[in-house]
Amino acid sequence: MFLRVLHLDSGRDWRGGQRQVLLLARGQREQGHEPLVVAAPDSPLLHRLRGAGLAASAVRMRADWDVAAARRIRALLHTWRPDIVHAHDARAHALALGALLGLRDVPLVVTRRVPFVPRGRLKYGPRVARFIAISGAVRDALEQGGVAASRIDVVYSGVPAPPVAPPRDWRAERGWPRDTFLCGVVGAMTAEKGIRLLGEIGERLPAELRRRVRLVMLGGPANGSVTLGGVEAYRAGFVDEVHRAMAGLDLLWHPSSAEGLGTAVIDSMALGVPPIAFAVGGLPELIVDGESGLLVPPGDITGFAAAVARLAGDPSLRERMRHASQARAAEFSVQRMVLGTEQAYRRVLAR
C-alpha cells in the first residue's frame, strides 16, 4: 500500500538534515509512495526538490509557534489528506503540533537529529506517535528527556554511494608541495563543529608535520588562505562537486563537540578518506576506532593532534583504514534509511 507523506522542514540553509529530507523524499517516490515536502521559501532544499521533480510547497516558518505558518500547513492537510505527517526539525515539530490541533486521525512522526536531552512536555508528549532517532545516542537523549523507549525507532542517516570521479588535486591547484599531508574539514563552520579548536590542534602537531600539513575547509565562507595554529589552511567555502573535493584529501578532521551521527563523516569514509573525531554523540556508532578511523576522548586536543601524527606517519595504516572505512560507510545507505523510515510509519499506522 502506497502512502501519502507530508514532510515539514523549516531549514533555510543546506545542511545534513535538509539533505536527508531530499534523499528520503526521493527514495519514497521511487518506492511508489507520494511525498510532499513543505520547506522554507527560497531555501536550497526547496530548489533542489523542485529540480528533482519532487512535490514541494513553500511556507515561511518564522518561529516555533508561527500561527500563520500553522494555518498554511493545516490548509495543506485538508486539501492533500496525508496518511502521515513527518516533521524533521524542532521548528517543524512545533508547527506540526499547531497545524494538527483537533486532527487526531493524522499521526505525527518526528525525526530527532541532535543528541541533546529535550525539554517540554507538550512537544514530546503523546501527540507525537513516534520519534525517529538518527543514532542510539539521540535515542538515549530522548529517553533521558522522558520519551518512552517504545515510542522511538533508531533509523541511521544514509548517504548515496559517491560518484566515481577523479579526485580534486588540491596540491596542484594551490601550488603546495607534493609531500603535503592534506587534511580537511567539511560542513557548516560553526562552534559546535569544533572550528575554534582547529588552531589549537595545529599548535600541538609536531613541528615538522605542522610545516607539511595543509588544511582545506569545505563549507562556510570562502575566505581564501588563512593560518590556523601555524598550519596553512584554505577556506574553499561551499563547492558544487564536494565529493571530488573530499576525495582529494588524505584525512578528515571532525572535531565536533556534539554530533547526532555525522553524514559528512559517512561521505568521507565512503570516499576512502579516514576520519579522526572526538567520541561524542553517534560518532562511536559510525567509526570503528582503529579500523575505519580514529576516535579521541571528547575535548582531548592533544590526543587529536597525536592521532593526526599517527596517521600521517603510517601510510600502511591509512591504506588499511581507507578500505575499512569504505566497507563501513556502505552500511549507512539511503536504501536502509528509507526502509527504516517506512517501517516506523507502518508501526504507527498498525496501531
Side-chain angles (χ1 to χ4, degrees):
M1 181 183 75
F2 84 91
L3 299 174
R4 294 167 70 91
V5 184
L6 182 68
H7 296 280
L8 303 175
D9 187 283
S10 68
R12 297 186 181 95
D13 300 315
W14 183 251
R15 299 185 66 172
Q18 286 68 47
R19 182 189 183 201
Q20 290 299 298
V21 174
L22 174 63
L23 292 170
L24 176 58
R26 181 185 292 158
Q28 289 176 340
R29 184 180 63 179
E30 291 171 355
Q31 294 294 319
H33 303 302
E34 193 173 351
L36 169 63
V37 182
V38 176
D42 297 321
S43 64
L45 174 59
L46 186 71
H47 291 303
R48 293 184 189 226
L49 287 162
R50 289 175 173 170
L54 290 159
S57 181
V59 174
R60 196 172 303 281
M61 296 171 266
R62 296 180 176 86
D64 284 11
W65 305 108
D66 183 338
V67 174
R71 286 174 175 165
R72 289 279 310 278
I73 296 165
R74 189 179 182 88
L76 283 170
L77 292 171
H78 283 300
T79 58
W80 203 68
R81 299 185 179 279
D83 299 297
I84 293 273
V85 174
H86 188 164
H88 291 270
D89 61 81
R91 179 168 296 174
H93 178 179
L95 291 171
L97 289 171
L100 286 165
L101 280 173
L103 303 178
R104 303 298 301 178
D105 57 331
V106 182
L108 173 60
V109 172
V110 173
T111 288
R112 180 83 171 169
R113 304 188 189 278
V114 293
F116 307 126
V117 177
R119 306 292 180 208
R121 292 186 178 181
L122 175 61
K123 285 186 70 174
Y124 296 91
R127 183 59 186 92
V128 178
R130 206 153 194 90
F131 288 92
I132 293 177
I134 66 167
S135 67
V138 175
R139 175 202 58 211
D140 294 346
L142 280 167
E143 290 184 25
Q144 290 176 40
V147 178
S150 60
R151 296 173 60 210
I152 307 168
D153 286 305
V154 174
V155 179
Y156 289 109
S157 301
V159 304
V164 178
R168 190 163 172 177
D169 190 345
W170 291 103
R171 294 172 181 85
E173 284 188 33
R174 301 299 305 157
W176 290 332
R178 299 311 299 175
D179 68 345
T180 293
F181 187 64
L182 199 52
C183 301
V185 180
V186 180
M189 300 296 161
T190 55
E192 71 270 16
K193 299 298 184 182
I195 300 309
R196 295 175 183 171
L197 302 180
L198 297 178
E200 296 182 53
I201 294 169
E203 289 172 354
R204 286 167 170 77
L205 294 175
E208 185 278 329
L209 178 59
R210 190 185 311 121
R211 288 190 293 268
R212 196 160 60 89
V213 164
R214 300 293 184 273
L215 184 64
V216 177
M217 302 173 71
L218 298 168
N223 293 338
S225 296
V226 294
T227 300
L228 298 171
V231 172
E232 183 178 338
Y234 179 65
R235 293 181 179 269
F238 290 99
V239 298
D240 290 331
E241 294 183 313
V242 68
H243 289 115
R244 277 196 67 224
M246 294 174 69
L249 304 173
D250 297 316
L251 186 65
L252 179 78
W253 293 11
H254 195 75
S256 178
S257 60
E259 196 70 75
L261 185 63
T263 53
V265 177
I266 306 176
D267 282 323
S268 175
M269 293 167 62
L271 290 161
V273 179
I276 296 175
F278 290 127
V280 296
L283 288 167
E285 300 170 55
L286 170 60
I287 300 169
V288 180
D289 186 33
E291 294 183 16
S292 56
L294 294 179
L295 290 170
V296 180
D300 184 356
I301 297 169
T302 299
F304 200 108
V308 174
R310 177 185 174 190
L311 287 181
D314 194 337
S316 63
L317 177 58
R318 291 203 309 275
E319 183 64 14
R320 291 196 300 273
M321 283 189 175
R322 184 175 75 82
H323 293 291
S325 64
Q326 289 176 314
R328 179 64 175 159
E331 299 178 29
F332 295 83
S333 68
V334 174
Q335 292 79 9
R336 284 192 178 186
M337 182 267 289
V338 172
L339 177 60
T341 302
E342 181 177 340
Q343 289 172 341
Y345 293 169
R346 300 292 184 190
R347 291 186 187 99
V348 169
L349 294 171
R351 292 189 314 171

